[in-house]
Amino acid sequence: MRLGFIPNAFAILFDKIKDNIMIKITSKDNSLVKHITKLNKSAKYRRECEEFAAEGVRICIDALNSGAKISSLIVCEDILDKYSDVIERIKAVADNSYVFSKTLFREISETKSPQGIVCVIKPLDKHSLFDKMECNGKFIALDNIQDPSNMGTILRTAEAVGIDGVILSSDCCDIYSPKVVRGSMGAVFRLPYIIKDSISDFILEHKNITSYASVVDADAEKITHIGFECPCVVVIGNEGNGLKQSTIDVCNKKITIPMNGRAESLNASVAAAIIIWEMVK
């Protein structure tokens, strides 16, 4: 009997059964396995597909709670019972749901101890959200940050402490790389951000915002002496090379973290955490 002729009550039941189905994938040659593997490895592919993979129970719940569009839910068969409530919640909004064997799940996992859950997600339009914000808050700008772990930690700290938004130069590492997504602990879903060709472009376009270049210079003002009145933005530079001179030149002031030890500089994420705390305390 064709579906069109099924009595209404049975048609509703059929739809519920159909929606509850999780497709089992057993071959590593499956197109979905290849798709997720490429999403994990290639920023260019993520941009082309306008999708990224998020792994881990907490991260997937954050994506769900943030209203992100979930294209696919992938679950390891070993955790179907352990996280049944979470799986059911995500299944209700995901376009498609799949079950992988433990061996096959490891093919797509980016972690040493997989929790057994991955979501393929369409990024939220954070550019639009940032554009709608009145630029009267406190912001940080990341200039050519290359280490995904550093970026993830900076985003996590920025959200936790209360920074209003983040500006990224186009030569930063991809904000949706697996390490950034995990390291941010969900901040990528919640923190407004915008990507500019260069940080100097943003500063020149927003001259009403006081801009501070974070440098390691003896003649720079100590961050403990700065009031950081709104609106303001502090620019943090590359892990090895610091800020570009072109960025420093357009900033209103140069600031530095006072250090009494023999270390000449700090890790980018550590420096950012100290600066962010001083900005909002």
Side-chain angles (χ1 to χ4, degrees), residues 172-223:
C172 281
C173 63
D174 182 20
I175 195 170
Y176 288 118
S177 76
K179 285 185 178 180
V180 174
V181 174
R182 286 198 305 275
S184 77
M185 292 301 289
V188 293
F189 301 117
R190 298 182 292 267
L191 193 63
Y193 73 86
I194 193 169
I195 299 174
K196 302 293 290 185
D197 286 340
S198 69
I199 299 303
S200 56
D201 285 347
F202 177 86
I203 292 171
L204 291 171
E205 291 169 9
H206 298 83
K207 293 184 178 180
N208 64 306
I209 301 179
T210 304
S211 52
Y212 299 93
S214 175
V215 296
V216 186
D217 286 354
D219 62 341
E221 195 167 353
K222 295 179 180 180
I223 60 170

mmCIF file of all heavy atoms in Angstrom, residues 172-223:
data_model
loop_
_atom_site.group_PDB
_atom_site.id
_atom_site.type_symbol
_atom_site.label_atom_id
_atom_site.label_comp_id
_atom_site.label_asym_id
_atom_site.label_seq_id
_atom_site.Cartn_x
_atom_site.Cartn_y
_atom_site.Cartn_z
ATOM 1 N N CYS A 172 44.404 34.653 10.548
ATOM 2 C CA CYS A 172 44.355 33.795 11.744
ATOM 3 C C CYS A 172 43.999 32.366 11.331
ATOM 4 O O CYS A 172 43.487 32.135 10.232
ATOM 5 C CB CYS A 172 43.285 34.295 12.720
ATOM 6 S SG CYS A 172 43.768 35.708 13.742
ATOM 7 N N CYS A 173 44.257 31.415 12.207
ATOM 8 C CA CYS A 173 43.808 30.046 11.955
ATOM 9 C C CYS A 173 42.278 30.015 11.931
ATOM 10 O O CYS A 173 41.616 30.922 12.455
ATOM 11 C CB CYS A 173 44.355 29.083 13.002
ATOM 12 S SG CYS A 173 43.802 29.400 14.696
ATOM 13 N N ASP A 174 41.710 28.995 11.329
ATOM 14 C CA ASP A 174 40.261 28.903 11.154
ATOM 15 C C ASP A 174 39.563 28.753 12.503
ATOM 16 O O ASP A 174 39.888 27.866 13.292
ATOM 17 C CB ASP A 174 39.942 27.709 10.254
ATOM 18 C CG ASP A 174 38.451 27.562 9.981
ATOM 19 O OD1 ASP A 174 37.712 28.551 10.160
ATOM 20 O OD2 ASP A 174 38.033 26.452 9.607
ATOM 21 N N ILE A 175 38.582 29.615 12.756
ATOM 22 C CA ILE A 175 37.864 29.586 14.035
ATOM 23 C C ILE A 175 37.072 28.292 14.212
ATOM 24 O O ILE A 175 36.711 27.924 15.330
ATOM 25 C CB ILE A 175 36.933 30.819 14.156
ATOM 26 C CG1 ILE A 175 36.468 31.002 15.612
ATOM 27 C CG2 ILE A 175 35.774 30.740 13.183
ATOM 28 C CD1 ILE A 175 35.750 32.309 15.850
ATOM 29 N N TYR A 176 36.793 27.576 13.102
ATOM 30 C CA TYR A 176 36.031 26.333 13.196
ATOM 31 C C TYR A 176 36.900 25.085 13.024
ATOM 32 O O TYR A 176 36.392 24.012 12.720
ATOM 33 C CB TYR A 176 34.891 26.340 12.176
ATOM 34 C CG TYR A 176 33.778 27.292 12.552
ATOM 35 C CD1 TYR A 176 33.453 28.368 11.747
ATOM 36 C CD2 TYR A 176 33.074 27.135 13.745
ATOM 37 C CE1 TYR A 176 32.452 29.265 12.105
ATOM 38 C CE2 TYR A 176 32.077 28.019 14.116
ATOM 39 C CZ TYR A 176 31.763 29.069 13.289
ATOM 40 O OH TYR A 176 30.771 29.957 13.660
ATOM 41 N N SER A 177 38.201 25.218 13.237
ATOM 42 C CA SER A 177 39.040 24.020 13.250
ATOM 43 C C SER A 177 38.703 23.202 14.494
ATOM 44 O O SER A 177 38.263 23.761 15.511
ATOM 45 C CB SER A 177 40.524 24.396 13.250
ATOM 46 O OG SER A 177 40.931 24.830 14.532
ATOM 47 N N PRO A 178 38.852 21.885 14.447
ATOM 48 C CA PRO A 178 38.463 21.045 15.598
ATOM 49 C C PRO A 178 39.090 21.470 16.921
ATOM 50 O O PRO A 178 38.422 21.475 17.960
ATOM 51 C CB PRO A 178 38.936 19.646 15.183
ATOM 52 C CG PRO A 178 38.906 19.670 13.687
ATOM 53 C CD PRO A 178 39.328 21.064 13.305
ATOM 54 N N LYS A 179 40.371 21.861 16.908
ATOM 55 C CA LYS A 179 41.038 22.240 18.153
ATOM 56 C C LYS A 179 40.490 23.558 18.703
ATOM 57 O O LYS A 179 40.383 23.732 19.928
ATOM 58 C CB LYS A 179 42.555 22.345 17.930
ATOM 59 C CG LYS A 179 43.244 20.995 17.811
ATOM 60 C CD LYS A 179 44.745 21.165 17.720
ATOM 61 C CE LYS A 179 45.438 19.805 17.644
ATOM 62 N NZ LYS A 179 46.920 19.944 17.550
ATOM 63 N N VAL A 180 40.151 24.488 17.825
ATOM 64 C CA VAL A 180 39.579 25.746 18.293
ATOM 65 C C VAL A 180 38.205 25.500 18.908
ATOM 66 O O VAL A 180 37.885 26.001 19.982
ATOM 67 C CB VAL A 180 39.468 26.771 17.147
ATOM 68 C CG1 VAL A 180 38.725 28.030 17.629
ATOM 69 C CG2 VAL A 180 40.841 27.156 16.623
ATOM 70 N N VAL A 181 37.382 24.709 18.218
ATOM 71 C CA VAL A 181 36.028 24.434 18.699
ATOM 72 C C VAL A 181 36.074 23.766 20.073
ATOM 73 O O VAL A 181 35.357 24.162 20.994
ATOM 74 C CB VAL A 181 35.259 23.563 17.684
ATOM 75 C CG1 VAL A 181 33.901 23.151 18.258
ATOM 76 C CG2 VAL A 181 35.061 24.315 16.375
ATOM 77 N N ARG A 182 36.931 22.735 20.220
ATOM 78 C CA ARG A 182 37.034 22.045 21.511
ATOM 79 C C ARG A 182 37.602 22.964 22.586
ATOM 80 O O ARG A 182 37.113 23.020 23.708
ATOM 81 C CB ARG A 182 37.894 20.788 21.386
ATOM 82 C CG ARG A 182 37.241 19.633 20.667
ATOM 83 C CD ARG A 182 37.950 18.312 20.967
ATOM 84 N NE ARG A 182 39.372 18.371 20.666
ATOM 85 C CZ ARG A 182 39.896 18.142 19.457
ATOM 86 N NH1 ARG A 182 39.100 17.871 18.441
ATOM 87 N NH2 ARG A 182 41.193 18.190 19.257
ATOM 88 N N GLY A 183 38.677 23.680 22.227
ATOM 89 C CA GLY A 183 39.345 24.532 23.203
ATOM 90 C C GLY A 183 38.490 25.691 23.676
ATOM 91 O O GLY A 183 38.635 26.163 24.803
ATOM 92 N N SER A 184 37.580 26.142 22.828
ATOM 93 C CA SER A 184 36.726 27.277 23.194
ATOM 94 C C SER A 184 35.607 26.870 24.141
ATOM 95 O O SER A 184 34.941 27.732 24.726
ATOM 96 C CB SER A 184 36.114 27.905 21.941
ATOM 97 O OG SER A 184 35.036 27.139 21.446
ATOM 98 N N MET A 185 35.373 25.568 24.285
ATOM 99 C CA MET A 185 34.306 25.055 25.150
ATOM 100 C C MET A 185 32.954 25.705 24.843
ATOM 101 O O MET A 185 32.214 26.110 25.739
ATOM 102 C CB MET A 185 34.675 25.251 26.625
ATOM 103 C CG MET A 185 35.828 24.395 27.090
ATOM 104 S SD MET A 185 35.522 22.621 26.880
ATOM 105 C CE MET A 185 34.292 22.331 28.135
ATOM 106 N N GLY A 186 32.657 25.813 23.557
ATOM 107 C CA GLY A 186 31.353 26.325 23.146
ATOM 108 C C GLY A 186 31.308 27.816 22.893
ATOM 109 O O GLY A 186 30.292 28.329 22.409
ATOM 110 N N ALA A 187 32.396 28.550 23.183
ATOM 111 C CA ALA A 187 32.391 30.001 22.968
ATOM 112 C C ALA A 187 32.202 30.349 21.498
ATOM 113 O O ALA A 187 31.650 31.408 21.174
ATOM 114 C CB ALA A 187 33.687 30.619 23.494
ATOM 115 N N VAL A 188 32.641 29.475 20.587
ATOM 116 C CA VAL A 188 32.467 29.760 19.154
ATOM 117 C C VAL A 188 30.997 29.855 18.775
ATOM 118 O O VAL A 188 30.653 30.486 17.773
ATOM 119 C CB VAL A 188 33.146 28.680 18.270
ATOM 120 C CG1 VAL A 188 34.651 28.727 18.405
ATOM 121 C CG2 VAL A 188 32.621 27.287 18.585
ATOM 122 N N PHE A 189 30.125 29.248 19.569
ATOM 123 C CA PHE A 189 28.694 29.301 19.288
ATOM 124 C C PHE A 189 28.038 30.553 19.873
ATOM 125 O O PHE A 189 26.948 30.926 19.463
ATOM 126 C CB PHE A 189 27.988 28.065 19.851
ATOM 127 C CG PHE A 189 28.503 26.768 19.305
ATOM 128 C CD1 PHE A 189 29.092 25.838 20.143
ATOM 129 C CD2 PHE A 189 28.407 26.477 17.961
ATOM 130 C CE1 PHE A 189 29.570 24.632 19.655
ATOM 131 C CE2 PHE A 189 28.882 25.280 17.453
ATOM 132 C CZ PHE A 189 29.468 24.358 18.293
ATOM 133 N N ARG A 190 28.690 31.185 20.834
ATOM 134 C CA ARG A 190 28.025 32.252 21.584
ATOM 135 C C ARG A 190 28.672 33.626 21.454
ATOM 136 O O ARG A 190 28.002 34.638 21.613
ATOM 137 C CB ARG A 190 27.967 31.860 23.067
ATOM 138 C CG ARG A 190 27.170 30.594 23.340
ATOM 139 C CD ARG A 190 27.126 30.296 24.829
ATOM 140 N NE ARG A 190 28.423 29.909 25.356
ATOM 141 C CZ ARG A 190 28.851 28.648 25.461
ATOM 142 N NH1 ARG A 190 28.079 27.652 25.053
ATOM 143 N NH2 ARG A 190 30.035 28.381 25.964
ATOM 144 N N LEU A 191 29.966 33.672 21.205
ATOM 145 C CA LEU A 191 30.693 34.940 21.225
ATOM 146 C C LEU A 191 30.633 35.618 19.857
ATOM 147 O O LEU A 191 31.022 35.032 18.850
ATOM 148 C CB LEU A 191 32.155 34.675 21.607
ATOM 149 C CG LEU A 191 33.020 35.865 21.993
ATOM 150 C CD1 LEU A 191 32.474 36.536 23.248
ATOM 151 C CD2 LEU A 191 34.460 35.412 22.225
ATOM 152 N N PRO A 192 30.129 36.858 19.779
ATOM 153 C CA PRO A 192 30.095 37.560 18.484
ATOM 154 C C PRO A 192 31.517 37.782 17.949
ATOM 155 O O PRO A 192 32.425 38.112 18.716
ATOM 156 C CB PRO A 192 29.434 38.897 18.824
ATOM 157 C CG PRO A 192 28.691 38.663 20.092
ATOM 158 C CD PRO A 192 29.513 37.655 20.848
ATOM 159 N N TYR A 193 31.705 37.605 16.660
ATOM 160 C CA TYR A 193 33.018 37.850 16.076
ATOM 161 C C TYR A 193 32.844 38.346 14.641
ATOM 162 O O TYR A 193 31.795 38.205 14.028
ATOM 163 C CB TYR A 193 33.883 36.593 16.094
ATOM 164 C CG TYR A 193 33.469 35.538 15.092
ATOM 165 C CD1 TYR A 193 33.931 35.581 13.778
ATOM 166 C CD2 TYR A 193 32.611 34.505 15.447
ATOM 167 C CE1 TYR A 193 33.534 34.624 12.845
ATOM 168 C CE2 TYR A 193 32.212 33.561 14.535
ATOM 169 C CZ TYR A 193 32.689 33.618 13.228
ATOM 170 O OH TYR A 193 32.277 32.684 12.318
ATOM 171 N N ILE A 194 33.907 38.943 14.145
ATOM 172 C CA ILE A 194 33.943 39.368 12.750
ATOM 173 C C ILE A 194 35.344 39.128 12.217
ATOM 174 O O ILE A 194 36.323 39.236 12.976
ATOM 175 C CB ILE A 194 33.535 40.858 12.603
ATOM 176 C CG1 ILE A 194 33.273 41.202 11.143
ATOM 177 C CG2 ILE A 194 34.559 41.777 13.235
ATOM 178 C CD1 ILE A 194 32.616 42.558 10.953
ATOM 179 N N ILE A 195 35.450 38.777 10.946
ATOM 180 C CA ILE A 195 36.746 38.558 10.309
ATOM 181 C C ILE A 195 37.004 39.700 9.338
ATOM 182 O O ILE A 195 36.175 39.991 8.479
ATOM 183 C CB ILE A 195 36.793 37.206 9.572
ATOM 184 C CG1 ILE A 195 36.569 36.055 10.566
ATOM 185 C CG2 ILE A 195 38.136 37.026 8.864
ATOM 186 C CD1 ILE A 195 36.453 34.690 9.922
ATOM 187 N N LYS A 196 38.171 40.340 9.488
ATOM 188 C CA LYS A 196 38.559 41.439 8.612
ATOM 189 C C LYS A 196 39.845 41.061 7.873
ATOM 190 O O LYS A 196 40.640 40.256 8.362
ATOM 191 C CB LYS A 196 38.803 42.722 9.411
ATOM 192 C CG LYS A 196 37.609 43.189 10.227
ATOM 193 C CD LYS A 196 36.462 43.646 9.347
ATOM 194 C CE LYS A 196 36.766 44.932 8.627
ATOM 195 N NZ LYS A 196 35.593 45.440 7.866
ATOM 196 N N ASP A 197 40.051 41.660 6.707
ATOM 197 C CA ASP A 197 41.293 41.404 5.968
ATOM 198 C C ASP A 197 42.498 41.702 6.849
ATOM 199 O O ASP A 197 43.491 40.974 6.835
ATOM 200 C CB ASP A 197 41.349 42.244 4.694
ATOM 201 C CG ASP A 197 40.410 41.719 3.617
ATOM 202 O OD1 ASP A 197 40.023 40.534 3.705
ATOM 203 O OD2 ASP A 197 40.059 42.488 2.708
ATOM 204 N N SER A 198 42.414 42.768 7.606
ATOM 205 C CA SER A 198 43.477 43.108 8.554
ATOM 206 C C SER A 198 42.866 43.817 9.756
ATOM 207 O O SER A 198 41.798 44.434 9.649
ATOM 208 C CB SER A 198 44.529 44.011 7.900
ATOM 209 O OG SER A 198 43.985 45.298 7.639
ATOM 210 N N ILE A 199 43.549 43.741 10.884
ATOM 211 C CA ILE A 199 43.067 44.422 12.081
ATOM 212 C C ILE A 199 43.153 45.938 11.903
ATOM 213 O O ILE A 199 42.308 46.688 12.402
ATOM 214 C CB ILE A 199 43.868 43.974 13.329
ATOM 215 C CG1 ILE A 199 43.691 42.462 13.559
ATOM 216 C CG2 ILE A 199 43.428 44.760 14.560
ATOM 217 C CD1 ILE A 199 42.260 42.009 13.728
ATOM 218 N N SER A 200 44.148 46.389 11.169
ATOM 219 C CA SER A 200 44.268 47.832 10.929
ATOM 220 C C SER A 200 43.049 48.363 10.183
ATOM 221 O O SER A 200 42.622 49.502 10.414
ATOM 222 C CB SER A 200 45.557 48.146 10.160
ATOM 223 O OG SER A 200 45.624 47.419 8.949
ATOM 224 N N ASP A 201 42.463 47.540 9.292
ATOM 225 C CA ASP A 201 41.237 47.953 8.596
ATOM 226 C C ASP A 201 40.123 48.239 9.595
ATOM 227 O O ASP A 201 39.419 49.254 9.493
ATOM 228 C CB ASP A 201 40.766 46.863 7.624
ATOM 229 C CG ASP A 201 41.610 46.789 6.364
ATOM 230 O OD1 ASP A 201 42.391 47.726 6.130
ATOM 231 O OD2 ASP A 201 41.488 45.792 5.633
ATOM 232 N N PHE A 202 39.956 47.335 10.563
ATOM 233 C CA PHE A 202 38.901 47.515 11.572
ATOM 234 C C PHE A 202 39.143 48.780 12.380
ATOM 235 O O PHE A 202 38.216 49.565 12.617
ATOM 236 C CB PHE A 202 38.839 46.301 12.495
ATOM 237 C CG PHE A 202 37.832 46.439 13.606
ATOM 238 C CD1 PHE A 202 36.504 46.101 13.408
ATOM 239 C CD2 PHE A 202 38.203 46.933 14.849
ATOM 240 C CE1 PHE A 202 35.561 46.251 14.418
ATOM 241 C CE2 PHE A 202 37.277 47.078 15.877
ATOM 242 C CZ PHE A 202 35.955 46.736 15.651
ATOM 243 N N ILE A 203 40.372 49.000 12.805
ATOM 244 C CA ILE A 203 40.683 50.160 13.638
ATOM 245 C C ILE A 203 40.431 51.463 12.884
ATOM 246 O O ILE A 203 39.849 52.412 13.419
ATOM 247 C CB ILE A 203 42.148 50.080 14.124
ATOM 248 C CG1 ILE A 203 42.298 48.907 15.106
ATOM 249 C CG2 ILE A 203 42.582 51.393 14.786
ATOM 250 C CD1 ILE A 203 43.727 48.596 15.475
ATOM 251 N N LEU A 204 40.826 51.497 11.614
ATOM 252 C CA LEU A 204 40.631 52.707 10.809
ATOM 253 C C LEU A 204 39.156 52.961 10.523
ATOM 254 O O LEU A 204 38.732 54.112 10.366
ATOM 255 C CB LEU A 204 41.413 52.593 9.501
ATOM 256 C CG LEU A 204 42.938 52.628 9.648
ATOM 257 C CD1 LEU A 204 43.614 52.297 8.325
ATOM 258 C CD2 LEU A 204 43.402 53.989 10.161
ATOM 259 N N GLU A 205 38.363 51.882 10.465
ATOM 260 C CA GLU A 205 36.922 52.028 10.220
ATOM 261 C C GLU A 205 36.158 52.425 11.485
ATOM 262 O O GLU A 205 35.017 52.876 11.403
ATOM 263 C CB GLU A 205 36.347 50.710 9.684
ATOM 264 C CG GLU A 205 36.809 50.359 8.277
ATOM 265 C CD GLU A 205 36.438 48.932 7.898
ATOM 266 O OE1 GLU A 205 35.685 48.286 8.668
ATOM 267 O OE2 GLU A 205 36.908 48.449 6.847
ATOM 268 N N HIS A 206 36.772 52.225 12.656
ATOM 269 C CA HIS A 206 36.086 52.499 13.929
ATOM 270 C C HIS A 206 36.974 53.396 14.794
ATOM 271 O O HIS A 206 37.459 52.989 15.856
ATOM 272 C CB HIS A 206 35.772 51.194 14.668
ATOM 273 C CG HIS A 206 34.858 50.281 13.926
ATOM 274 N ND1 HIS A 206 35.300 49.412 12.950
ATOM 275 C CD2 HIS A 206 33.508 50.107 14.003
ATOM 276 C CE1 HIS A 206 34.271 48.735 12.465
ATOM 277 N NE2 HIS A 206 33.178 49.141 13.078
ATOM 278 N N LYS A 207 37.161 54.608 14.342
ATOM 279 C CA LYS A 207 38.059 55.530 15.036
ATOM 280 C C LYS A 207 37.493 55.998 16.378
ATOM 281 O O LYS A 207 38.206 56.587 17.190
ATOM 282 C CB LYS A 207 38.368 56.724 14.134
ATOM 283 C CG LYS A 207 39.200 56.338 12.910
ATOM 284 C CD LYS A 207 39.592 57.542 12.081
ATOM 285 C CE LYS A 207 40.451 57.121 10.894
ATOM 286 N NZ LYS A 207 40.853 58.282 10.058
ATOM 287 N N ASN A 208 36.198 55.741 16.599
ATOM 288 C CA ASN A 208 35.604 56.082 17.895
ATOM 289 C C ASN A 208 36.025 55.110 18.994
ATOM 290 O O ASN A 208 35.823 55.378 20.180
ATOM 291 C CB ASN A 208 34.083 56.069 17.798
ATOM 292 C CG ASN A 208 33.533 54.679 17.478
ATOM 293 O OD1 ASN A 208 33.959 54.061 16.492
ATOM 294 N ND2 ASN A 208 32.603 54.187 18.288
ATOM 295 N N ILE A 209 36.612 53.968 18.608
ATOM 296 C CA ILE A 209 37.039 52.957 19.581
ATOM 297 C C ILE A 209 38.518 53.169 19.905
ATOM 298 O O ILE A 209 39.362 53.169 19.000
ATOM 299 C CB ILE A 209 36.829 51.533 19.034
ATOM 300 C CG1 ILE A 209 35.351 51.290 18.685
ATOM 301 C CG2 ILE A 209 37.299 50.503 20.045
ATOM 302 C CD1 ILE A 209 35.082 49.917 18.108
ATOM 303 N N THR A 210 38.830 53.351 21.171
ATOM 304 C CA THR A 210 40.229 53.481 21.572
ATOM 305 C C THR A 210 40.934 52.144 21.387
ATOM 306 O O THR A 210 40.470 51.116 21.895
ATOM 307 C CB THR A 210 40.348 53.920 23.039
ATOM 308 O OG1 THR A 210 39.629 55.141 23.221
ATOM 309 C CG2 THR A 210 41.804 54.131 23.433
ATOM 310 N N SER A 211 42.040 52.150 20.653
ATOM 311 C CA SER A 211 42.733 50.901 20.316
ATOM 312 C C SER A 211 44.081 50.818 21.023
ATOM 313 O O SER A 211 44.831 51.792 21.082
ATOM 314 C CB SER A 211 42.928 50.796 18.800
ATOM 315 O OG SER A 211 43.536 51.964 18.289
ATOM 316 N N TYR A 212 44.354 49.639 21.558
ATOM 317 C CA TYR A 212 45.590 49.400 22.302
ATOM 318 C C TYR A 212 46.362 48.257 21.645
ATOM 319 O O TYR A 212 45.820 47.171 21.451
ATOM 320 C CB TYR A 212 45.289 49.021 23.752
ATOM 321 C CG TYR A 212 44.544 50.068 24.537
ATOM 322 C CD1 TYR A 212 43.147 50.042 24.615
ATOM 323 C CD2 TYR A 212 45.229 51.066 25.218
ATOM 324 C CE1 TYR A 212 42.458 50.994 25.357
ATOM 325 C CE2 TYR A 212 44.540 52.021 25.974
ATOM 326 C CZ TYR A 212 43.160 51.972 26.026
ATOM 327 O OH TYR A 212 42.478 52.920 26.760
ATOM 328 N N ALA A 213 47.615 48.525 21.327
ATOM 329 C CA ALA A 213 48.485 47.495 20.774
ATOM 330 C C ALA A 213 49.252 46.831 21.910
ATOM 331 O O ALA A 213 49.990 47.494 22.644
ATOM 332 C CB ALA A 213 49.453 48.098 19.762
ATOM 333 N N SER A 214 49.069 45.516 22.069
ATOM 334 C CA SER A 214 49.769 44.778 23.115
ATOM 335 C C SER A 214 51.163 44.405 22.606
ATOM 336 O O SER A 214 51.301 43.623 21.659
ATOM 337 C CB SER A 214 48.981 43.518 23.487
ATOM 338 O OG SER A 214 49.694 42.736 24.406
ATOM 339 N N VAL A 215 52.195 44.979 23.233
ATOM 340 C CA VAL A 215 53.567 44.789 22.751
ATOM 341 C C VAL A 215 54.495 44.476 23.928
ATOM 342 O O VAL A 215 54.102 44.572 25.094
ATOM 343 C CB VAL A 215 54.072 46.048 22.016
ATOM 344 C CG1 VAL A 215 53.241 46.319 20.757
ATOM 345 C CG2 VAL A 215 54.037 47.258 22.938
ATOM 346 N N VAL A 216 55.720 44.103 23.598
ATOM 347 C CA VAL A 216 56.759 43.901 24.619
ATOM 348 C C VAL A 216 57.795 45.000 24.413
ATOM 349 O O VAL A 216 58.875 44.767 23.884
ATOM 350 C CB VAL A 216 57.395 42.501 24.502
ATOM 351 C CG1 VAL A 216 58.370 42.259 25.650
ATOM 352 C CG2 VAL A 216 56.331 41.420 24.482
ATOM 353 N N ASP A 217 57.434 46.209 24.807
ATOM 354 C CA ASP A 217 58.301 47.372 24.628
ATOM 355 C C ASP A 217 58.472 48.094 25.957
ATOM 356 O O ASP A 217 57.503 48.278 26.704
ATOM 357 C CB ASP A 217 57.703 48.368 23.619
ATOM 358 C CG ASP A 217 57.819 47.874 22.184
ATOM 359 O OD1 ASP A 217 58.465 46.831 21.974
ATOM 360 O OD2 ASP A 217 57.249 48.529 21.290
ATOM 361 N N ALA A 218 59.695 48.544 26.208
ATOM 362 C CA ALA A 218 59.961 49.240 27.462
ATOM 363 C C ALA A 218 59.216 50.571 27.537
ATOM 364 O O ALA A 218 58.873 51.039 28.626
ATOM 365 C CB ALA A 218 61.465 49.473 27.612
ATOM 366 N N ASP A 219 58.970 51.184 26.358
ATOM 367 C CA ASP A 219 58.323 52.490 26.367
ATOM 368 C C ASP A 219 56.797 52.406 26.330
ATOM 369 O O ASP A 219 56.115 53.434 26.316
ATOM 370 C CB ASP A 219 58.813 53.340 25.191
ATOM 371 C CG ASP A 219 58.472 52.716 23.847
ATOM 372 O OD1 ASP A 219 58.205 51.500 23.811
ATOM 373 O OD2 ASP A 219 58.475 53.453 22.836
ATOM 374 N N ALA A 220 56.241 51.186 26.295
ATOM 375 C CA ALA A 220 54.786 51.023 26.288
ATOM 376 C C ALA A 220 54.224 51.216 27.695
ATOM 377 O O ALA A 220 54.911 50.970 28.697
ATOM 378 C CB ALA A 220 54.414 49.645 25.762
ATOM 379 N N GLU A 221 52.981 51.654 27.791
ATOM 380 C CA GLU A 221 52.362 51.886 29.092
ATOM 381 C C GLU A 221 51.935 50.558 29.718
ATOM 382 O O GLU A 221 51.412 49.668 29.034
ATOM 383 C CB GLU A 221 51.147 52.803 28.929
ATOM 384 C CG GLU A 221 50.651 53.387 30.228
ATOM 385 C CD GLU A 221 49.662 54.513 30.021
ATOM 386 O OE1 GLU A 221 49.458 54.936 28.864
ATOM 387 O OE2 GLU A 221 49.094 54.974 31.035
ATOM 388 N N LYS A 222 52.129 50.403 30.996
ATOM 389 C CA LYS A 222 51.758 49.173 31.688
ATOM 390 C C LYS A 222 50.241 49.031 31.739
ATOM 391 O O LYS A 222 49.534 50.011 31.974
ATOM 392 C CB LYS A 222 52.322 49.160 33.108
ATOM 393 C CG LYS A 222 53.838 49.130 33.162
ATOM 394 C CD LYS A 222 54.333 49.149 34.600
ATOM 395 C CE LYS A 222 55.856 49.122 34.640
ATOM 396 N NZ LYS A 222 56.362 49.146 36.039
ATOM 397 N N ILE A 223 49.761 47.794 31.522
ATOM 398 C CA ILE A 223 48.308 47.589 31.479
ATOM 399 C C ILE A 223 47.657 47.894 32.820
ATOM 400 O O ILE A 223 46.473 48.230 32.879
ATOM 401 C CB ILE A 223 47.939 46.148 31.045
ATOM 402 C CG1 ILE A 223 48.506 45.109 32.019
ATOM 403 C CG2 ILE A 223 48.391 45.867 29.635
ATOM 404 C CD1 ILE A 223 47.967 43.718 31.785
#
